[in-house]
Amino acid sequence: MTKQILKAHKVRLYPNEGQQIFFAKSFGCTRFIWNKMLSDKIDHYNEHKTELKNTPAQYKKEFEWLKEVDSLALANVQQNLRAAYNKFFKGSGFPRFKKKGIKDSYTTNNQKGTVAITDSTVKLPKIGHIKARLPSKINGLIKSATISRTPSGKYYVSLLVETIVEPLLKTHSRIGIDLGLTDFIVLSDGSKVANPTFLSKLQHKLAREQKILAKRRAVAKANQRKLSDSRNYQKQKIKVAKVYERITNCRKDFLHKLSFNLIKNHDVIAIEDLNVKGMVKNKKLAKAISDSSWSTFTTMLNYKAEWYGKKLVKIDRWYPSSKTCSGCGHLLTKAELPLQVRSWNCPSCQQKHDRDINASINILNEGLRLVTIKTVGATGLA
Ligand SMILES: [Zn+2]
């Protein structure tokens, strides 16, 4: 059965000077309207104890320059603020004010071709065609476009496109995945996928550039100069942002390829349901990147399994996948298997285990057990 999904395509934009000014205005206006509507809501609540129902349109008289930007961008701010309030009512944090230069972006919608693409441009409401580097195939109806500027000064548009996907062929293969300590993942078939070496190289580069940035901050401070006036500091700040963006892009690319291959080659994929696991070697930075990689990776597996007709099973985070012998089920105590022990012999059945491969086999078995329970349960009801 084919499926209709919304797929996001991130496209690099090359706006000319005038277009850059338009984008800067749009980021500014959407940020302004968010902050203004939010502060008015807060004031109104403090006075009347009810929520103010305000709209961007009612501010256009007082702040005429709001008319210069895409009105749909402002309408989307209202919706996002609505969503932030709904989240707050459900227990999340209170909506925050937006700061300049942090996640500069705005979203517009396609209304009968107001957003469109050619071979080398993206057309946007109120501004027209922007030079762009488009991937080979974007097919289907464009629903919306989110324009953003990175801290290093690059422009992107994320196009949300209605796309038809066909399920992938069944392979009758099943796999368990464990988040490795030294490798990125370890699979129940005995294979290991290392963290890509270019990532660790870039991480070292990032650490180096950050050190230089800290030095420049100290120099500016010693000379009693504002950071915004220190050219050397600002130049270095952009350098750091660039390395950081490269890491993010390379990492995403790696995770996309890896998750797609797993979904393509296996029908059932079992993983542990965790965001953060114990310890990762190296420094804090490596750990943060590894942790966030794991959560991005599981998110990708989740929606790709859904798209392509495969099954992803998540195992309870307290399931003792490392400490159980996958051969005979013998359970070790925590003291018997400290983190630094990479391989062990089962005291019960004498089988020799690689710590991570053993864990991934247990994850697969537990995953298959859960799938069977669900299937039998469903059949029993019918
Ligand atoms: Zn055993």
Side-chain angles (χ1 to χ4, degrees), residues 8 27 63 68 98 103 114 146 250 273 302 304 320 370 375:
F27 299 146
F63 307 102
E68 290 173 35
K98 292 198 189 295
K103 291 191 179 166
T114 52
T146 299
C250 289
D273 186 11
N302 208 2
K304 285 177 190 179
L370 292 174
T375 321

Side-chain angles (χ1 to χ4, degrees), residues 139-333:
N139 296 317
L141 180 67
I142 299 171
K143 301 292 283 183
S144 69
T146 299
I147 298 89
S148 61
R149 183 183 181 276
T150 68
S152 76
K154 288 179 189 151
Y155 292 83
Y156 291 93
V157 60
S158 178
L159 299 167
L160 211 54
V161 181
E162 269 183 2
T163 310
I164 303 286
V165 287
E166 306 274 348
L168 285 165
L169 289 177
K170 294 279 184 271
T171 60
H172 305 289
S173 167
R174 301 95 76 95
I175 197 98
I177 306 175
D178 186 41
L179 172 64
L181 282 178
T182 45
D183 300 282
F184 178 58
I185 53 170
V186 176
L187 305 175
S188 55
D189 63 6
S191 60
K192 299 181 173 188
V193 180
N195 282 301
T197 46
F198 61 79
L199 264 184
S200 68
K201 271 184 199 154
L202 281 173
Q203 281 172 36
H204 286 303
K205 191 172 162 60
L206 181 61
R208 245 188 351 258
E209 300 295 350
Q210 277 175 332
K211 234 179 226 169
I212 299 175
L213 185 67
K215 262 184 211 157
R216 300 218 166 141
R217 185 187 293 125
V219 169
K221 210 175 172 188
N223 295 336
Q224 294 184 322
R225 237 181 341 183
K226 270 202 226 155
L227 287 181
S228 53
D229 296 336
S230 164
R231 267 187 56 130
N232 282 337
Y233 174 83
Q234 292 302 331
K235 253 166 68 186
Q236 187 62 21
K237 201 173 139 191
I238 289 173
K239 220 171 176 182
V240 168
K242 272 187 181 159
V243 182
Y244 194 80
E245 283 160 25
R246 268 203 73 197
I247 290 179
T248 314
N249 290 339
C250 289
R251 191 171 61 94
K252 259 206 176 137
D253 200 47
F254 163 72
L255 295 175
H256 268 304
K257 283 177 185 149
L258 183 60
S259 57
F260 179 74
N261 276 325
L262 286 162
I263 294 288
K264 190 176 137 199
N265 293 323
H266 308 283
D267 294 351
V268 179
I269 297 114
I271 56 167
E272 272 181 294
D273 186 11
L274 40 77
N275 296 317
V276 183
K277 184 174 180 176
M279 242 176 47
V280 175
K281 278 193 178 174
N282 302 323
K283 290 170 194 163
K284 275 184 193 159
L285 180 67
K287 177 168 162 45
I289 289 173
S290 165
D291 290 350
S292 74
S293 285
W294 178 251
S295 78
T296 310
F297 179 64
T298 56
T299 306
M300 286 177 178
L301 284 174
N302 208 2
Y303 69 74
K304 285 177 190 179
E306 178 79 16
W307 287 359
Y308 297 112
K310 302 298 182 88
K311 183 135 200 81
L312 179 74
V313 213
K314 289 186 176 178
I315 309 304
D316 187 281
R317 69 175 64 197
W318 303 116
Y319 179 75
S321 57
S322 296
K323 296 193 286 288
T324 307
C325 167
S326 57
C328 71
H330 180 80
L331 189 64
L332 295 184
T333 62

Side-chain angles (χ1 to χ4, degrees), residues 325 327-330 346 348-349 353:
C325 167
C328 71
H330 180 80
C346 175
S348 176
C349 74
H353 289 302

